[in-house]
Amino acid sequence: MNFTLPEGLPPGRFVSSGSACVWVADELPCDVDGVWRPLLSMQEDTELVPLLGGTFLSRPIDLAQISAVRLEDALTSDFAEYRRRRLPWWTDPTPEPVPEGTAPWPHDPGPPFETWPGLAPATPVTDTAPSPADAAAHTIGHLIATNPYELAGCSLVLAPAQHSADIPALLGWDAEAPLPLVCALLRSWEERFGARVVGMGGRLFVSVARPPQTAAHADLLALEHVLSTADNIVDDPPTPFPEYAAILPQRTHWSFWWD
């Protein structure tokens, strides 16, 4: 089912699959200020989420499945199981065998928690922090300028949704991700960090208006990233948890992929 489009769009077309429908520009517009920023600023009024993507429609997931996720309960049990499986490696600094000529994998001591520590607190909104729309525009501009390979085949997509966090579920993103959990995390990150889904293809790209500000704050958020089950957080390439957490303060975009 088609929807009303805002004015000033480049040429494009509607693409639908079952109940999912998006509008896709014929070519990727690189004019961030002229095209992307106005669409991002109007998002709450139009309920159309602009993002970098392609024709990736599959089987949508009912948003009720996202609402049914109780993050604290889910992550409490998920961390207990994750820690049980990983603890032997965290407590044994013996390097893993690697092929000859390959540098040993760095030892990962794991997160500094024995039990689920709770969700990371929200980063406060300040006068100097960018708005979520401005942060999203900045991230999209950065991705267009620096990731031509990652964005091959991508264009401007408009998807009807109240929250960008729901887009992977609404469009049935064809990834190995546990979409109800991931979208529940994305909804929570929208509220706590001003996060927005800005790209979806081989990776999920997320802009961040209010990143964590301290190492302790980043440790909590990094654990949430780990429990999203995304492969690239600490597993591929092998990355010690403290090293991953250390990059999150002040970082204004995140990316996730599942294999």
Side-chain angles (χ1 to χ4, degrees), residues 69-162:
V69 175
R70 299 293 178 260
L71 272 181
E72 288 284 7
D73 293 342
L75 297 179
T76 296
S77 59
D78 288 353
F79 178 58
E81 174 59 18
Y82 180 78
R83 188 173 189 275
R84 183 192 67 78
R85 289 187 286 107
R86 295 295 181 105
L87 192 59
W89 282 271
W90 294 342
T91 55
D92 182 1
T94 305
E96 290 287 318
V98 295
E100 185 177 353
T102 302
W105 292 351
H107 172 62
D108 182 6
F113 311 110
E114 294 186 0
T115 59
W116 168 244
L119 294 171
T123 299
V125 178
T126 65
D127 292 338
T128 58
S131 69
D134 284 340
H138 175 79
T139 296
I140 288 170
H142 173 77
L143 292 173
I144 290 173
T146 62
N147 287 265
Y149 176 77
E150 290 268 10
L151 300 182
C154 286
S155 189
L156 162 63
V157 174
L158 287 179
Q162 290 185 328

Side-chain angles (χ1 to χ4, degrees), residues 42-221:
M42 294 187 294
Q43 179 177 319
E44 291 186 4
D45 295 327
T46 63
E47 294 190 354
L48 294 175
V49 175
L51 70 153
L52 292 159
T55 54
F56 38 62
L57 299 180
S58 185
R59 180 176 297 177
I61 291 178
D62 192 327
L63 297 187
Q65 294 186 44
I66 305 172
S67 300
V69 175
R70 299 293 178 260
L71 272 181
E72 288 284 7
D73 293 342
L75 297 179
T76 296
S77 59
D78 288 353
F79 178 58
E81 174 59 18
Y82 180 78
R83 188 173 189 275
R84 183 192 67 78
R85 289 187 286 107
R86 295 295 181 105
L87 192 59
W89 282 271
W90 294 342
T91 55
D92 182 1
T94 305
E96 290 287 318
V98 295
E100 185 177 353
T102 302
W105 292 351
H107 172 62
D108 182 6
F113 311 110
E114 294 186 0
T115 59
W116 168 244
L119 294 171
T123 299
V125 178
T126 65
D127 292 338
T128 58
S131 69
D134 284 340
H138 175 79
T139 296
I140 288 170
H142 173 77
L143 292 173
I144 290 173
T146 62
N147 287 265
Y149 176 77
E150 290 268 10
L151 300 182
C154 286
S155 189
L156 162 63
V157 174
L158 287 179
Q162 290 185 328
H163 303 283
S164 70
D166 296 340
I167 292 296
L170 287 170
L171 303 187
W173 185 40
D174 187 16
E176 298 298 321
L179 289 183
L181 173 64
V182 170
C183 290
L185 281 166
L186 288 167
R187 283 182 177 183
S188 184
W189 293 337
E190 277 196 5
E191 295 178 1
R192 289 181 285 143
F193 302 105
R196 295 290 185 271
V197 173
V198 296
M200 202 168 70
R203 289 178 181 256
L204 185 68
F205 292 101
V206 179
S207 63
V208 188
R210 304 185 304 276
Q213 301 297 303
T214 67
H217 197 186
D219 281 345
L220 294 169
L221 176 60

